[in-house]
Every structure is written in structure tokens, then in C-alpha cells.
Amino acid sequence: MKTGRFSRVLLMGLIAALLASCSTGASFVKDMDASLSQVGDVVSAQTQYNNSAGMSTRINVRITASTRADLNTVLEDSLRAFANASGKTKGTISVAYYVFPEGAEEEGIRPDKVGLAITPTVDEIREYARSSR
């Protein structure tokens, strides 16, 4: 009897944790896309917050810049916007970040162009933003 009760409590806890992570992710995506869309020469921004059943989390950011934009400037400005909008997001989460010109997706750049890792963590982006002001 006690084992069944424990299992139900454990299952309900897991469900609650998953629902909380989903709502956190949805809020993060909405706020991040709004912030990144305000960066000069950004045509669109798409953020995904992927949480694998509470085991690992990854953020994907894809920014489409206008064809006349300097991609390095868009990358630098958008990384600062990302850092400012990241709020209390866990700093160890890795971020797959890509900026490309409209109509030329294969010609994009990643954060390694400004001295970061190709897939930096949230904290690394925050540190970049602090040091590049």
C-alpha cells in the first residue's frame, strides 16, 4: 500500500516539475524573441527552449538579419540583448546561436566570430556582454 502511494506522489512531483519547466520555457522564449527582435537589422528571431524531461536543457537561437546588415554587428548586439533578457536562466545551459542574412541561411555566423565558443553557455554570453560594453 505504501509503495503505491509513494509511486503516485513521485509521479505527481515529476509531472509538476515538467509542467513548471514548460511554462518557464514558454515565458523565456516569448521574452527572448521580443528582446532579440528589437536589435537593429533583425528581421526575425526564433528561440527554442528544449528541456529533456528535466535531465538537460538547451537553448537554440536563430536570427535572420536583413540582407544589408553587418552580421558581426547583429551578432554582437543580439548577444548583448540575449544577456539582458536571460533573467534568472541557469547559467550553465548551452546555447546554439546562429545569425544569418535573409535568404542565405547557409552564410551565417556563430559566436566563435566574437571569441566565444561555437555553443557558449548562458553565463559565457553574459560575461561577453559585460566585457564588450
Side-chain angles (χ1 to χ4, degrees), residues 94-112:
S94 64
V95 184
Y97 209 97
Y98 190 61
V99 176
F100 60 94
E102 190 171 32
E105 189 170 343
E106 67 285 347
E107 296 176 21
I109 60 174
R110 298 188 184 278
D112 62 322

Side-chain angles (χ1 to χ4, degrees), residues 17-37:
L18 285 172
L19 289 174
S21 70
C22 289
S23 66
T24 298
S27 173
F28 176 86
V29 167
K30 181 181 173 190
D31 294 345
M32 188 57 68
D33 283 347
S35 180
L36 293 172
S37 293

